[in-house]
């Protein structure tokens, strides 16, 4: 088992650097927007460090009925070491109940491999249509899919998850 350490403001620059390396601009907030989340009660940063260096992190929203992994990234030098799978296993053990995350559509081999990685680690691909709202004024909305553990979401569960994410994470009002 791997230790997921609570990260704080002192770790923000390392988290944001890894986030910038790992996610396209439309899949992350700007620096100020991301830093502002640290004051949100339900938002937490969890990470793995070695010799004081951040190797990987989760940015999660801990709701009463599910946990949402908003970002999950591993430092380039630590990729393909098994750390990501061990982190997911630990998170799923520590957060019993539903855990959900967003993935890109399986349009190319890299995206298909990412989905397969999550499936190997206990997540199920949900076919429901889902659009991630824009994460800022200079960002675009993105068509994604929801993956969930330990099983697929029912239609009702999916609608509840989407509504909570839109309201609490993205501050998006459905039209």
């Amino acid at each position: 088992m791997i230790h997921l350490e609570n990260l704080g403001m002192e770790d923000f620059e390392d988290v944001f650097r890894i986030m910038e390396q790992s996610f396209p601009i439309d899949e992350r907030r700007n620096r100020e927007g991301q830093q502002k989340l640290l004051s949100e009660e339900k938002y937490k940063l969890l990470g793995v460090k070695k010799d004081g260096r951040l190797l990987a992190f989760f940015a999660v929203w801990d709701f009463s009925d599910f946990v949402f992994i908003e970002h999950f990234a591993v430092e380039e030098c630590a990729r393909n070491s098994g750390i990501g799978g061990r982190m997911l296993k630990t998170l799923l053990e520590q957060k019993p109940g539903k855990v959900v995350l967003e993935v890109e559509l399986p349009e190319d081999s890299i995206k298909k491999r990412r989905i397969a990685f999550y499936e190997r680690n206990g997540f199920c691909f949900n076919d429901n249509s889902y659009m991630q709202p824009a994460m800022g004024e200079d960002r675009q909305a993105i068509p994604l899919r929801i993956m969930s553990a330990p099983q697929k979401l029912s239609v009702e569960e999916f609608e509840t998850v989407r509504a909570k994410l839109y309201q609490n994470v993205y501050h998006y009002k459905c039209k």
Side-chain angles (χ1 to χ4, degrees):
M1 177 127 93
I2 203 162
H3 175 67
L4 295 177
E5 183 177 327
N6 285 313
L7 304 177
M9 188 61 80
E10 67 279 3
D11 301 298
F12 179 77
E13 290 304 320
D14 288 333
V15 167
F16 196 75
R17 177 183 49 76
I18 295 170
M19 193 177 287
E20 284 183 310
Q21 292 170 354
S22 304
F23 294 95
I25 194 165
D26 287 331
E27 292 182 23
R28 57 184 161 81
R29 293 170 184 80
N30 65 25
R31 181 181 303 276
E32 290 169 1
Q34 204 63 50
Q35 198 167 30
K36 186 178 176 188
L37 292 180
L38 296 175
S39 63
E40 293 271 351
E41 179 185 339
K42 295 182 183 323
Y43 183 81
K44 306 268 184 287
L45 293 173
L46 305 170
V48 174
K49 293 181 180 180
K50 183 177 181 183
D51 301 325
R53 180 180 175 159
L54 183 65
L55 296 180
F57 75 91
F58 288 120
V60 301
W61 293 81
D62 204 342
F63 297 108
S64 59
D65 50 344
F66 69 94
V67 171
F68 171 55
I69 302 173
E70 180 176 24
H71 290 105
F72 172 31
V74 177
E75 175 79 76
E76 285 183 51
C77 68
R79 290 183 187 156
N80 299 312
S81 68
I83 191 172
R86 292 193 311 272
M87 287 176 69
L88 281 171
K89 182 177 184 204
T90 300
L91 184 71
L92 292 174
E93 288 172 358
Q94 291 179 357
K95 305 286 185 184
K98 286 187 286 254
V99 178
V100 301
L101 53 84
E102 300 163 333
V103 292
E104 294 170 301
L105 301 176
E107 299 170 329
D108 62 39
S109 62
I110 291 173
K111 293 169 185 170
K112 288 176 184 175
R113 281 200 319 262
R114 192 171 296 126
I115 290 167
F117 164 78
Y118 287 120
E119 288 174 335
R120 284 192 308 275
N121 286 283
F123 284 81
C124 301
F125 187 82
N126 292 270
D127 293 315
N128 313 69
S129 182
Y130 175 81
M131 182 70 74
Q132 179 194 64
M135 295 183 93
E137 290 181 16
D138 58 341
R139 307 291 200 262
Q140 300 295 315
I142 310 166
L144 300 175
R145 288 295 182 268
I146 296 288
M147 293 191 77
S148 57
Q151 69 257 346
K152 280 189 172 191
L153 301 174
S154 68
V155 172
E156 295 79 20
E157 289 171 323
F158 173 79
E159 293 299 331
T160 298
V161 165
R162 180 171 53 190
K164 265 195 184 163
L165 295 181
Y166 279 14
Q167 179 181 358
N168 297 288
V169 173
Y170 300 110
H171 305 290
Y172 176 76
K173 304 282 188 262
C174 294
K175 295 176 173 118

